[in-house]
């Protein structure tokens, strides 16, 4: 199993450009998450999808949109990138997000720089 | 609302010395607590988790943590540090509210191990 995969690994954008970060998992998990990691801030939840067909906002959703394309894939879109969105983005998945003790499995991350 | 506080953004120990990384939580419901580790340029992986079954939790790579309700703490320890333990460590609490399984992360503690 590849686990959670993310593409691309690195990306540089100019202010105002758009892009989509891709995430896929092959563990048949129901719940998927997008986080951003900034120095000294820990991980902050952007959006999550408790199950296929549902998405909900997390702590920092402004400037982002998501699509749960199917059970495997969960994409994050920046419509008009801003320098404040320079960050490392992590996708994660868990078998059943409604169970609070479930382990989340993380992808390797996407390093995004917005100039 | 749940939250975690990690004391010390950077901890440095000598190889073979005790590792102690501190985490205090705030929760209005019985908490589920996690420690994740992030090696350089990688995603997060689970070290251990407290699910109320036992207050002393053993994890991978010789780490363990003790849940102390009276102190609202879940500190991570390892008797003898190895060079390979150098990484960033995150404490997290499960959001027991409407989003149930969502994790709230601390800001992280970077562990350095000196030869």
């Amino acid at each position: 199993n590849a686990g959670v995969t993310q593409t691309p690994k690195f990306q540089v954008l100019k202010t105002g450009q758009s892009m989509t970060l891709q995430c896929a998992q092959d563990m048949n998990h129901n719940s998927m998450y997008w986080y951003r990691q900034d120095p000294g801030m820990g991980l902050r939840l952007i959006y999550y999808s408790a199950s296929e067909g549902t998405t909900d906002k997390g702590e920092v959703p402004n400037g982002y949109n998501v699509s749960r394309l199917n059970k495997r894939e969960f994409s994050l879109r920046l419509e008009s990138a801003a320098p404040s969105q320079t960050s490392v983005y992590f996708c994660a998945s868990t078998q059943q997000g409604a169970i609070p003790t479930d382990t989340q499995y993380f992808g390797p991350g996407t390093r995004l720089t917005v100039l | 609302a749940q939250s975690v506080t990690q004391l010390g953004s950077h901890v440095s120990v000598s190889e073979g010395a005790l590792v102690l990384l501190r985490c205090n939580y705030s929760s209005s419901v019985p908490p589920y607590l996690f420690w994740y580790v992030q090696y350089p340029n990688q995603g997060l992986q689970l070290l251990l988790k407290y699910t109320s079954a036992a207050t002393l939790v053993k994890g991978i790579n010789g780490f363990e943590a003790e849940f102390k309700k009276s102190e609202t703490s879940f500190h991570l320890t390892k008797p003898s540090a190895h060079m390979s333990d150098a990484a960033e460590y995150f404490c997290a609490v499960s959001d027991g509210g409407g989003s149930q399984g969502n994790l709230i992360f601390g800001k992280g503690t970077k562990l350095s191990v000196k030869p």
Side-chain angles (χ1 to χ4, degrees):
Chain A
N1 285 352
V4 180
T5 57
Q6 294 183 235
T7 55
K9 285 187 167 49
F10 301 93
Q11 184 70 47
V12 178
L13 293 177
K14 294 181 180 178
T15 297
Q17 287 185 318
S18 62
M19 79 160 296
T20 300
L21 282 65
Q22 306 286 354
C23 172
Q25 51 88 12
D26 63 359
M27 296 174 283
N28 200 35
H29 284 173
N30 289 298
S31 302
M32 298 184 74
Y33 308 81
W34 275 106
Y35 294 91
R36 60 177 290 172
Q37 182 181 28
D38 303 292
M41 299 292 289
L43 276 76
R44 292 180 292 170
L45 184 64
I46 304 171
Y47 270 93
Y48 66 100
S49 171
S51 61
E52 188 179 355
T54 68
T55 61
D56 285 288
K57 295 178 180 179
E59 180 186 354
V60 289
N62 290 346
Y64 305 95
N65 285 301
V66 291
S67 295
R68 183 75 183 266
L69 304 170
N70 48 55
K71 191 171 185 179
R72 290 187 64 248
E73 298 172 288
F74 189 38
S75 63
L76 178 72
R77 183 160 178 83
L78 286 70
E79 291 290 353
S80 178
S84 60
Q85 294 178 304
T86 294
S87 188
V88 182
Y89 291 85
F90 288 99
C91 178
S93 71
T94 189
Q95 175 60 41
Q96 193 64 262
I99 300 174
T101 57
D102 254 8
T103 298
Q104 289 191 16
Y105 295 85
F106 285 79
T110 294
R111 292 183 178 274
L112 175 67
T113 301
V114 183
L115 303 175
Chain B
Q2 284 76 9
S3 66
V4 290
T5 301
Q6 292 184 241
L7 300 175
S9 58
H10 194 187
V11 170
S12 182
V13 300
S14 297
E15 194 172 20
L18 171 72
V19 176
L20 171 60
L21 304 182
R22 299 178 187 272
C23 174
N24 288 89
Y25 70 88
S26 171
S27 178
S28 57
V29 297
Y32 300 106
L33 295 157
F34 303 75
W35 276 100
Y36 281 83
V37 61
Q38 183 181 31
Y39 297 105
N41 300 312
Q42 294 187 26
L44 280 70
Q45 63 182 86
L46 182 71
L47 265 182
L48 49 82
K49 61 183 175 182
Y50 168 72
T51 61
S52 76
T55 57
L56 183 62
V57 182
K58 295 188 184 298
I60 61 172
N61 300 338
F63 284 93
E64 63 181 38
E66 187 171 8
F67 173 73
K68 292 187 176 181
K69 185 178 179 180
S70 61
E71 299 177 9
T72 61
S73 68
F74 190 56
H75 301 331
L76 182 70
T77 61
K78 182 174 180 178
S80 176
H82 294 162
M83 297 295 293
S84 60
D85 294 328
E88 191 159 17
Y89 293 79
F90 293 92
C91 182
V93 62
S94 182
D95 182 349
S99 45
Q100 295 187 322
N102 289 353
L103 293 179
I104 299 164
F105 286 88
K107 295 186 188 308
T109 297
K110 191 164 286 188
L111 176 66
S112 301
V113 182
K114 299 174 290 187

